[in-house]
Structures are given as C-alpha cells and as structure tokens.
Amino acid sequence: MPALTFSLKSALAAALLLGLLGCQTPRERVILLPKADGSPSGVVTVQSKTGASLRLDQSYAQVDAGTAGELKPGQSNAETVQKEYGSLLAMQPAKPRSFVVNFSSNSNELTVETAPIVALVREALTALQGGELVVIGHTDRVGSLEANDKLSLVRAETVRELLVRQGIPREKITVVGRGEREPLVATADEVAEARNRRVEIKLR
C-alpha cells in the first residue's frame, strides 16, 4: 500500500506533485507549485496510510509524511524549490503554447496588428525542440456554412505557408478548418465579428 494517496483538483498540480515525490528526501514530501501568475496550480488533499489528511491550497504549501504515516504541514518557497528540485523540474516537457492571428473580413489576409505573431511562433517552436504545430482556421458567421468551411481552411493554409517561409518544415504543420462552428465570441447569424476571424496556432 502506498504511504500517501491524493485527491487532486488540477491536472497540472498532479503532474508536478508526482514528479516531486521521486526525490530522495528524508520522508515523502508533497509541494503544491504555483501557476505562472503565482496563484496555486490546484487543490490537493494528501492522505496517509493511517487515514490522516491535509489539504494544500496555497502556492508552495508543503506536507511531509513520516514512516509511521504522520503528516507534518509546512511552507516552502520558490528559491528553496529551485535549489532542491531544480534538476527535476528541468526534466518536465515544455508546456504547450498557442498563438492567435486575425484576418480581415471575408478574406485570407492577416490584420496588420497580428501579422508579426508568425515570427514569434517560429521562435517558440525552436525553443520547444522537436514540437509540432496544429493550425486551426475559423470564421465569423457572415456567409454560408459551406463558404465559411472553405474560408477557414484557406486561412489555415495561408498561415501554414507563412510559417514555412519562416523555415518551419511543412511536415511539422497540420492544418484544420473549423468554419464558423467554434466562435470565440457568440453572435447571431450574419454578424461580422473580428475576433472570430482567426487562426489558432498550437504548439505541442
């Protein structure tokens, strides 16, 4: 029977905690790491083999489990975690990233404001080392379903070509057209909405 069991309310928290349990510490230890903005990555209830339990809901909240099943709460911090577990954290796969570019109405031309994002995608993919791209085209609700299906795919293909020109191998890029089916902003039919005329670029 494992010394500790967990009730987790965050997939991110689960991944980080399970990794930390692999460290050679005097006893089993769980530390709740924060999200990028500093807020807790989830809520975790730690239960020992004796039935004792503790809830972690603050960033860097910590609990140590003794060999007899006793739980000792504590509080760590960013500096200590990096010092003691930095090598383990560095082994985590890079987090998926996503970018959005927008288009002019009823066209496959990127808006001036979002065009530079394509170069940022290349930089992010280089840092990811071996990642792949999924390029997903969308439209607003102006026009027929059939026309918007075609337009969304054309938009995705346009972005793919721009990425290829940036030096990204074509075989690393998958393109998909969603038409008007997945709006970022819900609207009535035939309403032009700039935020829905977009392509999502997802790195994985």
Side-chain angles (χ1 to χ4, degrees), residues 135-138 148-149 151-154 156 175-179 181:
V135 179
I136 308 169
H138 302 272
N148 283 334
D149 283 345
L151 179 57
S152 66
L153 184 58
V154 168
V175 296
V176 181
R178 300 290 196 209
R181 294 174 180 80

Side-chain angles (χ1 to χ4, degrees), residues 7 60 81 135 157:
S7 172
Y60 298 112
V81 168
V135 179
E157 291 171 341

Side-chain angles (χ1 to χ4, degrees), residues 99-103 110 114 117-118 159 197-201:
F99 301 82
V100 175
V101 293
N102 295 105
F103 288 77
L110 274 67
T114 62
I117 291 176
V118 175
V159 171
R197 299 192 298 267
R198 71 197 193 280
V199 163
E200 297 175 274
I201 307 168

Side-chain angles (χ1 to χ4, degrees), residues 55-66:
R55 173 187 169 98
L56 305 181
D57 57 10
Q58 298 297 316
S59 295
Y60 298 112
Q62 171 180 305
V63 59
D64 287 349

